[in-house]
Amino acid sequence: MKKVSIITPCLNGEKFLDRYFNSILVQSYTNLELIFINDGSTDKTNDIVKSFIPYIKDQGIEFKYINKKKNEGLARAINDGIKIFTGDYLIWPDADDFLEKDSIKKRVEFLEKNKEYGIVRSNANVVNQDNLNIVLNKFEQNPINKEYIFDDIVSEKLYMCCGCYMIRASAFLSVNKNREIYCDNGGQNWQMILPVAYSYKCGFIDEELYTYVIYKNSHSRNINGLDKIIERNYAHERTLKETLKRIDMDEDELKRYINRIEERYLKKRFYISYNYDNKEVMEKNYFELLNRYGVTKEEKQMYFLKKSRLSNVLIRIYLKLTRILGREND
């Protein structure tokens, strides 16, 4: 039976670690290596981890525990696990979510039957922390029949829910010989998946094999204020670009992808600053977008709508007249 390595970083997980560990303990697939990284937690995470060690060992699960003194971020914690994992397959679920009982088994079965695939992905249920039994939404992978998903990931057409993916270790190590991913504040999923997706086919299991839990105080859902959102935007852009630079691809191809990413994130910053009604930041991004890539008619209208009260009035009149004349011409 092939071994599956589970790498999970955690920061202050006392409220949900019981559920996470229990979801590992009840897995129908039993040849597991669990690498748990306590990323500088200041709550009772360490005590809870230690309380589960006897149960984990009773299940025959190999357990490796890294207890870090200070918080260094998800990507660095994942790197700690990448350095020491020994499994044939690799997953990295979040500690505040959980795996369904047959989650690992079904993915291993797929990859064992389909040796040409380097990755397999699945759907996920989305629930609220207050009621785990009510499914609020589903992460349904799209397009479901696509085997090469690299372009869709770069274009952010696929959601990157970590617990939905399993990677063949040989494929991962063939494109990550240094056992290291790029570290920034932009997460860890692109770094884990993109290099493999560039060179290997990805399979799909049309089932909800993971449950993603929404929390009121989730860090990713509480990045308030324009400055923090823009900072996060730059971090995501850097992460994508730096990850692509580590992939063995043609220089011209790399430039095309980098160009697409820069344009998309510049547009995002323009729309963010527009929605936050920050004219200074909006204007800066608008003219950079205009000079480098050009702007759409809609973006031009948005810019002038915010530019001044007078232009707001004039453009609203213009748009209204355009609609009226358009109806008359029909």
Side-chain angles (χ1 to χ4, degrees):
M1 180 184 283
K2 296 293 180 65
K3 185 197 298 184
V4 175
S5 294
I6 307 167
I7 300 176
T8 296
C10 177
L11 174 64
N12 295 332
E14 64 180 8
K15 294 181 179 179
F16 42 75
L17 277 183
D18 281 8
R19 185 181 64 233
Y20 166 80
F21 280 122
N22 282 317
S23 81
I24 302 296
L25 291 172
V26 301
Q27 285 299 304
S28 55
Y29 194 88
T30 56
N31 191 13
L32 305 175
E33 173 186 63
L34 176 57
I35 302 171
F36 192 88
I37 303 98
N38 181 2
D39 192 24
S41 297
T42 56
D43 63 359
K44 296 179 181 178
T45 290
N46 185 51
D47 294 334
I48 295 171
V49 173
K50 288 182 176 179
S51 73
F52 269 93
I53 291 177
Y55 302 102
I56 293 169
K57 290 185 176 179
D58 283 347
Q59 290 290 96
I61 297 172
E62 294 180 38
F63 186 60
K64 297 175 181 177
Y65 181 38
I66 300 174
N67 189 14
K68 303 177 77 168
K69 299 300 181 183
K70 64 177 182 178
N71 174 243
E72 295 182 327
L74 285 173
R76 287 181 175 82
I78 288 287
N79 268 341
D80 292 333
I82 291 172
K83 296 291 186 186
I84 61 174
F85 87 91
T86 61
D88 302 287
Y89 298 108
L90 175 63
I91 61 173
W92 60 103
D94 283 339
D96 54 356
D97 300 327
F98 57 95
L99 298 162
E100 298 302 321
K101 182 179 179 181
D102 293 326
S103 180
I104 294 176
K105 177 184 177 183
K106 290 186 175 181
R107 299 181 218 207
V108 170
E109 288 176 346
F110 180 92
L111 290 173
E112 283 293 287
K113 292 176 182 176
N114 299 277
K115 302 292 186 180
E116 72 275 21
Y117 289 86
I119 319 174
V120 64
R121 58 198 174 104
S122 71
N123 299 326
N125 287 320
V126 181
V127 302
N128 189 281
Q129 67 178 74
D130 297 326
N131 194 330
L132 302 177
N133 296 317
I134 297 178
V135 177
L136 304 175
N137 199 358
K138 291 182 185 293
F139 288 153
E140 293 182 308
Q141 297 278 20
N142 182 44
I144 63 173
N145 294 320
K146 209 163 192 178
E147 293 180 325
Y148 290 99
I149 60 173
F150 180 81
D151 270 24
D152 287 321
I153 297 174
V154 173
S155 302
E156 297 180 69
K157 293 179 181 179
L158 290 178
Y159 61 84
M160 299 299 291
C161 180
C162 59
C164 291
Y165 290 81
M166 176 179 281
I167 298 178
R168 190 183 301 276
S170 59
F172 180 81
L173 294 174
S174 73
V175 295
N176 289 277
K177 292 181 173 60
N178 294 327
R179 289 181 174 247
E180 183 178 277
I181 63 171
Y182 172 73
C183 293
D184 204 332
N185 296 324
Q188 75 281 3
N189 296 328
W190 285 322
Q191 301 97 299
M192 294 290 290
I193 297 170
L194 272 173
V196 183
Y198 182 77
S199 299
Y200 293 88
K201 293 198 293 185
C202 178
F204 176 69
I205 301 172
D206 194 8
E207 296 182 47
E208 288 72 39
L209 300 180
Y210 188 68
T211 298
Y212 176 89
V213 184
I214 297 173
Y215 295 88
K216 294 176 183 176
N217 296 319
S218 168
H219 171 69
S220 61
R221 292 177 171 271
N222 286 282
I223 304 173
N224 299 316
L226 178 61
D227 289 344
K228 289 184 178 179
I229 293 175
I230 293 292
E231 181 183 341
R232 182 86 168 169
N233 177 280
Y234 276 115
H236 283 167
E237 181 180 351
R238 283 195 305 272
T239 297
L240 270 170
K241 288 160 63 176
E242 291 301 322
T243 300
L244 290 185
K245 290 175 184 178
R246 296 183 177 208
I247 297 173
D248 185 17
M249 67 170 69
D250 178 81
E251 187 175 339
D252 289 337
E253 184 181 18
L254 175 61
K255 286 180 180 178
R256 288 195 298 271
Y257 279 119
I258 295 293
N259 194 59
R260 281 167 50 184
I261 290 167
E262 289 179 347
E263 180 180 8
R264 186 170 72 253
Y265 275 85
L266 188 53
K267 282 180 178 287
K268 284 186 177 185
R269 289 192 286 276
F270 170 72
Y271 279 87
I272 291 167
S273 55
Y274 174 88
N275 290 330
Y276 268 79
D277 201 22
N278 189 309
K279 294 179 183 178
E280 182 180 350
V281 177
M282 180 199 68
E283 188 163 13
K284 173 182 176 294
N285 287 299
Y286 175 80
F287 280 105
E288 186 176 352
L289 188 62
L290 177 66
N291 293 329
R292 293 181 62 186
Y293 304 104
V295 295
T296 64
K297 182 179 178 181
E298 179 187 14
E299 289 160 354
K300 187 179 293 185
Q301 291 172 349
M302 288 170 63
Y303 169 73
F304 284 105
L305 277 170
K306 291 288 186 183
K307 183 65 177 171
S308 69
R309 290 183 180 181
L310 176 60
S311 61
N312 283 351
V313 173
L314 291 175
I315 290 178
R316 289 180 192 280
I317 292 172
Y318 165 76
L319 293 174
K320 187 174 182 180
L321 288 172
T322 301
R323 288 194 294 270
I324 293 172
L325 292 173
R327 286 196 294 268
E328 288 178 352
N329 290 334
D330 290 341

